[in-house]
Amino acid sequence: MSISVRQIDETKPLEVALHQFDQAASFLKLQEGLRQVLRTGHRELTVHFPVAMDDGSTRMFTGYRVQHSISRGPGKGGIRYHPNVDLDEVRALAAWMSWKCGVMNIPFGGAKGGVQCNPKELSLAELERMTRRFTWEIAPLIGPDQDIPAPDVYTNAQTMAWIMDTYSMFKGHTVTGVVTGKPIEIGGSLGRESATAQGCVYAVRESFRHMGMDLEESTAAVQGFGNAGYHAARLLSEMGVRVVAVSDSSGGAFNSEGLDVQALKEWKAEMGTVAGAAGTDEITNAELLELPVDVLVPAAMEGQITGHNADRVRARIVAEAANGPTTPSADEILYDKGVFVVPDILANGGGVTVSYFEWVQNTQKLFWNEADINQKLDSIMTRAFHEVLDIAQKERVPMRTAAYILGVGRVANAKKLRGVFP
Ligand code: GLU
């Protein structure tokens, strides 16, 4: 039985994730036992560990690695460093990875990890020691055939290099395939850094085609200026879209004539925020979400478009580069208003898809060029987009519901075929 939207606390990503799953499970008429398996997830590790700080003190940190499902292949998903990380958030993010790998039809299960910390308050040396000790603590769970971490919020290629090195020291030989999103020099893949945004932009292109809209005449706003947001803004403007607003956790920049994304990147590198850049007006994160643009790309955190502000969203397309930016009650409002929402488990699936390419290249010890990677990503993204759109049109459901029907359906089917051991 699906739970009504009003009964869940939408500030909690796990409640949102379970609600979305329940809706798909009801549509797919999944048996109760299978439903319980997929609701509960598979394996969870909580670790508390000390880190030597630069001032000579010792501080305790708490981290998690959750494998939601390993039915379709090794666990796969990022590691985030953020003050809001807790077990329930990691559980939600791990489940979303399972459905995402299902939608993209790549041979991985779903996993996620995180350390509760404020990375902005840690030095590079402290971040390295925290990362290495966390890796050591979760080493029994991860591995190229078991569970493969990648970057997420406030982690990057350098973080992956430290994880790969620590794990390799533990094993006594170099294991490149234990993480994806590594630096190119040590086994990373061309195109991985911009892959989440590149995939999202392919999905935006397909959305425009579907809606008969012209890219050249259009405008966009991007919330978030990290890996996903910066590359999304860059790629959209390279494609001819006028990007009028971007933001980060400290504020935003607006110019109705269009922003110079590269100049904003340089400004942020110097000032720590995009806010206040020359030739731009300041705008808040909340105002950015309500701009009258063709495309809105939430590329930051969960729970940004909610029952409180969805009514004021004026974009025609919302393409979710972030995980979980729209709550279920906002989804209902956007659907009723006719906003075309490309859901996270489809729109940001480009990241994990190129992670898959990286893992395949590591396994084969044979590397591909960037044109090949982007062409393969385009074909997987375009196929997934149209599979979801076909379900949405045939069943007369929102794109999110359609994506869940596809993703949950694939994971459920794998589980059913494999059966219950013993
Ligand atoms: N953190 C990214 C995501 O949420 C990438 C995960 C991966 O490549 O494993 O999809």
Side-chain angles (χ1 to χ4, degrees), residues 75-120:
K76 188 82 193 80
I79 289 180
R80 71 168 55 176
Y81 292 166
H82 195 274
N84 293 351
V85 165
D86 63 19
L87 183 54
D88 275 352
E89 186 196 46
V90 177
R91 283 173 170 149
L93 290 160
W96 286 331
M97 287 308 303
S98 293
W99 318 141
K100 191 186 300 182
C101 293
V103 169
M104 305 311 291
N105 210 5
I106 54 177
F108 289 135
K112 201 84 176 196
V115 177
Q116 193 181 89
C117 65
N118 184 351
K120 291 181 183 168

Side-chain angles (χ1 to χ4, degrees), residues 253-275:
F254 173 80
N255 184 336
S256 59
E257 302 296 311
L259 296 166
D260 178 343
V261 177
Q262 224 36 54
L264 281 164
K265 171 132 176 105
E266 283 154 28
W267 176 264
K268 184 173 165 88
E270 210 180 306
M271 309 302 287
T273 174
V274 292

Side-chain angles (χ1 to χ4, degrees), residues 76-78 97 100 112 148 150-152 180 192 323 348 351-352 355:
K76 188 82 193 80
M97 287 308 303
K100 191 186 300 182
K112 201 84 176 196
I148 307 141
D152 198 75
T180 58
R192 175 61 186 87
N323 290 311
N348 72 35
V352 74
S355 277

